[in-house]
Amino acid sequence: MHTSDSDVLRRLADLMDEDDARTNKVGIPVSYGHRLIWLAVIGTYEAWEAEWVRLTKTKSVQVANEWSAGIDAQVHRLIELVYPGGIMARPKSAQDIRAMADQTETAA
């Protein structure tokens, strides 16, 4: 679930391709892009919830909260990377996101 930024960006590009195919329109609104970034990081809410519950039972609530904070930090970092300037940012295409993934991987 908590994977490298380049892996998350590639998953985001795949989600964007799926949305483009479903809507027959290239690109997504910035606000929807934020939701897709969250999904690219955690997969599903159910997956996030299952991991949080597992951590609370096998470790502690503190460990689960720290894990969740790490997920939130990655989501926010990627939102800033993909959509600098917030809602005023230029919508990106899946191709743009794949290029960002390649750059992120090269920089790592």
Side-chain angles (χ1 to χ4, degrees):
M1 185 179 309
H2 195 74
T3 59
S4 71
D5 288 354
S6 59
D7 289 342
V8 171
L9 289 170
R10 284 187 183 87
R11 177 67 184 133
L12 173 61
D14 291 344
L15 290 170
M16 291 172 75
D17 281 340
E18 290 171 18
D19 183 73
D20 292 349
R22 184 177 48 79
T23 62
N24 202 27
K25 187 169 138 183
V26 174
I28 57 171
V30 173
S31 59
Y32 188 56
H34 290 192
R35 171 83 174 136
L36 289 183
I37 289 171
W38 188 80
L39 288 173
V41 171
I42 69 150
T44 65
Y45 175 76
E46 291 77 15
W48 178 92
E49 183 180 44
E51 181 62 10
W52 194 88
V53 168
R54 186 191 71 76
L55 288 171
T56 62
K57 289 181 177 181
T58 62
K59 306 277 183 185
S60 68
V61 171
Q62 180 180 347
V63 168
N65 287 338
E66 289 170 0
W67 169 81
S68 180
I71 295 289
D72 288 345
Q74 184 179 26
V75 168
H76 290 289
R77 185 177 64 254
L78 289 172
I79 286 171
E80 287 300 316
L81 177 67
V82 173
Y83 298 111
I87 199 71
M88 300 305 293
R90 177 182 70 81
K92 304 280 192 309
S93 69
Q95 182 178 354
D96 295 333
I97 301 303
R98 283 192 181 86
M100 291 177 89
D102 292 343
Q103 280 184 322
T104 301
E105 191 170 63
T106 302

